[in-house]
Amino acid sequence: MTKWDYDGPILEIENLSISFFTRLREIPAVMDFSCTVQPGEAMGLVGESGCGKSTVALAVMRDLGKNGRIVGGTIKFKGRDLTTMSEEELRDIRGSEIAMIYQEPMASLNPAMKIGQQLMEVPMIHEGVTKEEAYKRALEVVTDVRLPDPERMLKSYPHQLSGGQQQRIVIAMALMSKPALLILDEPTTALDVTVEAAVVDLVKDLGKKYGTSMLFISHNLGLVLDTCNRLCVMYSGEAVETGSIKDVFDKMQHPYTQALFRSIPLPGADKNSRPLVAIPGNFPLPHERPQGCNFGPRCDYFEAGRCDQGEIPMANVAGHDRHDTRCLRVAEIDWNAPLKGVKTAEKTPIGKVVLKMEDLRKYYEVSANALFGGGDTKVVKANETLSFEAHEGETLAIVGESGCGKSTFAKVLMGLETATAGQILLYDNEIQSTPIEARNTETVSGVQMVFQNPFDTLNPSMTVGRQIIRALEIFGEGNSDAERRNRMLELLDLVKLPRAFAERMPRQLSGGQKQRVGIARAFAGGAKIVVADEPVSALDVSVQAAVTDLLMEIQRKNRTTLLFISHDLSIVRYLSDRVMVMYLGHVVELGTTDQVFSPPYHPYTEALLSAVPIADTHVEKKRIVLEGDIPSAMNPPPGCPFQTRCRWKSKVAGGRCETEMPPVRHLTDGHQIKCHLPDADLASMEPVIKIAAE
């Protein structure tokens, strides 16, 4: 049989069970998993961390390591069982007929080889083609993945490319041999939302061009909606629901799928009137799974004596397109019933100005030969004329791509860096030139930070309670050890962690629990301003809802000012009062959430909104994919910083975008935009996101 003449399902997984074997026990990672991928079909595999998505992908590649073993079921690729193949047969298939794209592009690239050599290797090894033919193919595929100046790309080393460009090269490498099945394991997690949109469009177009079937692993339901035709939802090692995108999104038939959708911020969710609903309890560890239904202990519809007995098989949902669910009560549940007992909250009153920045600039001098010294020095303009105010009890979101200066301004505010020019007023005290070691305790405890990765911020050799007490000691809180211990227990109550966790080590906590400890520590000194730098992006969606809700609750209680740095505009829309959009060190738009999310937009805001994946089949989005990468802050373009990627540039007379920095224009009450566009063009802008009538 040749590579192409097969007309059955490309991938058939039946009753697959996978275990990992340690010295102590067998740990079941995947149980009774089945799914079918037809030719040209894109199947999304969705679920929280640890549910077994990547294990299924690695089993298809037969790459489970020495501890992993397939203990039951079959994996058929084009009708042939992969589980019984020899190493030699697998070598022929891997990379040529089945290709995999991983989350971290640099893990797949050799840093010591030029891109061209790495791409040419694929057809030379798998198909024995000549060097000239391999170069021709490499050039074609690099052009296909829309990289600028393909010949220069082939001569570059991986470190000379941005993250988005590296990921495109990895996609190009996977497509070099025109595989029948492409497995993508969270391929865009490390990328900016604008780059993610371009990569997703690219994957879809190339899938159509090459007729490739796809298994797309993600925890982002919006991304799966944009990319796939079908969907399989996994929970704790099992498939719990599978079907077409339309059926699963609009007529879900499993309590876990329903709970997952209730915990993500869709259009219409509001932190006060329509808050997100976090899934109660915690994800079970593989050796602590409950009897019967794995989701039972967290399920709203659980029935003792029935849901906790025996194995629960997948059952077909009549009248739908290959729609199956693993729920005994599926016919008894009213799936359209409104949610009961959701707590709504009063809007936090916005108070006086507590933080003011005026014309803040932060420049870095970088030596052209930083490693050995010498050479010309260049200036990196990380923040340029940054001006805004933040009020007591307000959530101000700061959004933009990597490299736009969000984290730099946070470092200056925290005192980890000092400003080059401009002013930061904290309660009318100037702090822009005072490094953290010279700040008084009150200033340090008053401005605190919650970081993106909770794993990196906790001391692994200190108990949770000791770490919080240590913060209390530094902030001068409490007059005795007993007082500080009581305050630590109150802080655990505040972040909704059991008091027994005081004696636990960080390794015994999940990601969401670690982030709560980070939040408790930030509030140990009675922080009035909290800078939250991507605080939920490393967490699962169900945990995100709980942590976001917690931040809001603490804000209401303490009237905290929250500066929320994020690239996830869905969560920004849900929780922020005002939004500041940054691009290459500049504030390009600032206004209330409603102002920023409806036209007129700054052209960059428009592109950002268009790139956000939204997990709602009723949402219609205008697709605006930005060409090119964000320019270097060491060598910014002349005129408007956004002009190299702007689709509206031709509307501005006299080429002013390329020569003049746009002025800040005040449109309506508090809404400002830095743009040259004429009023008539701003007024003619259409909404990017529309909700279609059912």
Side-chain angles (χ1 to χ4, degrees):
M1 182 168 75
T2 67
K3 198 165 158 177
W4 304 108
D5 58 1
Y6 182 78
D7 57 1
I10 294 294
L11 182 69
E12 277 178 288
I13 303 177
E14 277 185 36
N15 309 114
L16 179 69
S17 294
I18 302 163
S19 289
F20 288 90
F21 292 83
T22 67
R23 277 176 303 181
L24 295 176
R25 57 164 80 90
E26 173 188 350
I27 297 172
V30 173
M31 297 89 67
D32 185 33
F33 178 86
S34 301
C35 99
T36 305
V37 183
Q38 299 292 348
E41 206 167 60
M43 168 72 83
L45 212 49
V46 171
E48 294 169 276
S49 311
C51 71
K53 309 184 295 287
S54 296
T55 306
V56 168
L58 292 170
V60 174
M61 295 299 282
R62 287 288 308 278
D63 184 21
L64 288 167
K66 59 177 187 290
N67 293 341
R69 223 175 295 157
I70 293 168
V71 292
T74 57
I75 305 171
K76 286 182 183 166
F77 172 70
K78 291 185 174 179
R80 297 167 67 199
D81 191 349
L82 293 171
T83 59
T84 57
M85 278 188 191
S86 67
E87 271 304 313
E88 202 174 330
E89 288 175 298
L90 286 167
R91 252 197 313 275
D92 284 345
I93 286 178
R94 276 194 209 121
S96 70
E97 293 213 57
I98 305 177
M100 186 156 174
I101 295 168
Y102 295 89
Q103 184 168 350
E104 182 44 69
M106 267 317 266
S108 312
L109 295 172
N110 183 336
M113 271 172 84
K114 287 183 178 171
I115 297 294
Q117 288 171 283
Q118 299 192 49
L119 288 171
M120 287 160 64
E121 264 189 351
V122 181
M124 285 165 75
I125 289 170
H126 285 294
E127 297 168 49
V129 304
T130 64
K131 211 170 176 181
E132 290 72 27
E133 172 63 21
Y135 181 79
K136 209 168 97 188
R137 277 216 224 162
L139 200 58
E140 181 194 345
V141 80
V142 169
T143 311
D144 270 350
V145 295
R146 300 185 204 136
L147 280 166
D149 197 351
E151 288 184 344
R152 182 178 64 80
M153 284 289 161
L154 294 181
K155 293 191 185 101
S156 302
Y157 285 98
H159 71 267
Q160 295 171 305
L161 276 56
S162 70
Q165 289 173 336
Q166 287 172 1
Q167 193 60 291
R168 284 164 191 240
I169 290 294
V170 171
I171 291 169
M173 202 183 285
L175 292 167
M176 277 300 280
S177 56
K178 302 186 172 59
L181 177 67
L182 185 59
I183 301 171
L184 301 104
D185 190 359
E186 303 268 12
T188 59
T189 303
L191 304 177
D192 273 313
V193 64
T194 48
V195 182
E196 177 179 83
V199 169
V200 164
D201 275 11
L202 175 72
V203 166
K204 282 191 333 203
D205 292 349
L206 293 172
K208 282 184 198 136
K209 177 175 175 178
Y210 293 114
T212 309
S213 301
M214 285 190 273
L215 193 60
F216 191 95
I217 296 170
S218 182
H219 63 269
N220 186 329
L221 286 158
L223 211 51
V224 168
L225 173 62
D226 281 352
T227 324
C228 302
N229 331 84
R230 298 186 62 75
L231 172 65
C232 176
V233 181
M234 286 186 77
Y235 181 79
S236 189
E238 295 179 324
V240 293
E241 184 164 10
T242 182
S244 71
I245 290 284
K246 194 98 180 99
D247 283 346
V248 176
F249 273 61
D250 295 347
K251 304 172 202 150
M252 55 195 74
Q253 301 284 308
H254 194 280
Y256 175 61
T257 314
Q258 186 184 54
L260 211 51
F261 274 90
R262 284 175 175 168
S263 66
I264 56 176
L266 297 173
D270 175 85
K271 63 182 177 184
N272 298 313
S273 59
R274 285 184 58 190
L276 301 181
V277 181
I279 304 174
N282 287 316
F283 197 77
L285 292 168
H287 56 282
E288 293 175 355
R289 290 189 179 110
Q291 286 289 313
C293 175
N294 281 346
F295 188 60
R298 305 173 76 189
C299 180
D300 290 342
Y301 311 105
F302 177 76
E303 192 181 305
R306 187 173 164 202
C307 298
D308 50 8
Q309 302 298 311
E311 295 292 312
I312 295 171
M314 287 291 265
N316 184 254
V317 177
H320 293 185
D321 172 23
R322 290 180 283 150
H323 191 178
D324 297 315
T325 179
R326 197 182 292 274
C327 179
L328 293 176
R329 302 200 57 202
V330 61
E332 304 157 27
I333 295 168
D334 179 1
W335 297 99
N336 300 315
L339 210 52
K340 289 192 201 98
V342 177
K343 286 189 301 185
T344 56
E346 289 293 311
K347 190 177 184 315
T348 310
I350 307 296
K352 62 182 191 299
V353 173
V354 293
L355 177 70
K356 189 173 185 178
M357 286 202 185
E358 282 185 7
D359 282 341
L360 180 81
R361 295 163 198 250
K362 176 61 186 169
Y363 299 167
Y364 295 95
E365 278 200 358
V366 181
S367 165
N369 192 340
L371 194 58
F372 304 108
D376 299 331
T377 56
K378 288 194 166 183
V379 173
V380 175
K381 297 182 175 181
N383 288 151
E384 191 69 300
T385 62
L386 208 63
S387 298
F388 70 89
E389 292 177 346
H391 299 76
E392 185 182 62
E394 174 181 56
T395 303
L396 172 67
I398 296 116
V399 298
E401 293 166 283
S402 309
C404 73
K406 308 186 297 282
S407 295
T408 301
F409 116 78
K411 284 178 188 167
V412 176
L413 174 60
M414 299 300 296
L416 302 171
E417 303 270 4
T418 52
T420 307
Q423 223 182 20
I424 303 179
L425 292 168
L426 177 67
Y427 294 107
D428 299 329
N429 297 322
E430 287 195 32
I431 59 166
Q432 71 277 356
S433 304
T434 316
I436 193 159
E437 59 272 18
R439 291 184 177 182
N440 61 32
T441 308
E442 196 182 344
T443 305
V444 173
S445 63
V447 185
Q448 282 293 301
M449 196 154 179
V450 177
F451 295 90
Q452 177 171 359
N453 199 338
F455 309 92
D456 297 342
T457 56
L458 298 179
N459 184 333
S461 58
M462 224 185 246
T463 64
V464 165
R466 183 72 202 112
Q467 303 201 39
I468 298 172
I469 288 171
R470 179 98 183 83
L472 291 166
E473 286 168 357
I474 290 167
F475 296 146
E477 296 282 319
N479 298 319
S480 64
D481 287 350
E483 263 186 48
R484 279 189 282 272
R485 180 161 177 82
N486 275 337
R487 177 76 186 121
M488 177 269 290
L489 294 171
E490 285 168 10
L491 284 162
L492 287 179
D493 295 342
L494 181 74
V495 296
K496 297 190 169 67
L497 282 176
R499 289 188 166 199
F501 274 42
E503 306 310 318
R504 288 200 184 181
M505 303 301 278
R507 66 172 185 277
Q508 296 171 291
L509 272 55
S510 70
Q513 289 165 344
K514 284 180 185 157
Q515 193 59 293
R516 285 164 188 254
V517 176
I519 293 168
R521 209 170 45 177
F523 282 94
K528 286 296 172 202
I529 296 174
V530 170
V531 182
D533 190 358
E534 302 271 11
V536 293
S537 64
L539 306 176
D540 276 313
V541 284
S542 58
V543 184
Q544 274 185 17
V547 172
T548 308
D549 191 38
L550 173 70
L551 279 170
M552 294 297 101
E553 200 172 307
I554 294 173
Q555 182 184 46
R556 288 185 195 108
K557 207 176 281 181
N558 296 9
R559 297 190 49 71
T560 319
T561 303
L562 192 62
L563 301 182
F564 192 88
I565 298 173
S566 182
H567 66 267
D568 182 346
L569 285 166
S570 301
I571 212 124
V572 163
R573 184 175 202 165
Y574 167 69
L575 61 78
S576 62
D577 301 302
R578 285 192 307 138
V579 180
M580 181 166 96
V581 183
M582 288 184 70
Y583 187 81
L584 211 59
H586 293 261
V587 176
V588 294
E589 183 161 7
L590 177 63
T592 65
T593 307
D594 288 342
Q595 286 168 342
V596 171
F597 276 77
S598 49
Y601 313 104
H602 186 280
Y604 177 57
T605 311
E606 181 189 47
L608 272 184
L609 290 173
S610 154
V612 180
I614 299 172
D616 190 334
T617 54
H618 303 109
V619 166
E620 290 172 8
K621 271 192 309 179
K622 192 187 281 185
R623 202 67 166 149
I624 303 157
V625 173
L626 288 179
E627 296 298 324
D629 290 305
I630 191 165
S632 162
M634 204 184 293
N635 189 19
C640 171
F642 187 59
Q643 53 102 348
T644 56
R645 302 166 82 193
C646 182
R647 72 189 192 106
W648 290 85
K649 190 165 71 169
S650 59
K651 303 270 188 185
V652 178
R656 289 203 336 274
C657 295
E658 292 170 18
T659 54
E660 290 174 36
M661 176 63 71
V664 174
R665 289 159 65 185
H666 297 273
L667 303 180
T668 49
D669 184 32
H671 187 195
Q672 63 182 58
I673 286 182
K674 206 178 222 180
C675 187
H676 282 304
L677 269 180
D679 291 345
D681 286 309
L682 279 173
S684 70
M685 280 187 165
E686 293 173 358
V688 172
I689 298 167
K690 288 182 188 164
I691 299 174
E694 294 202 27

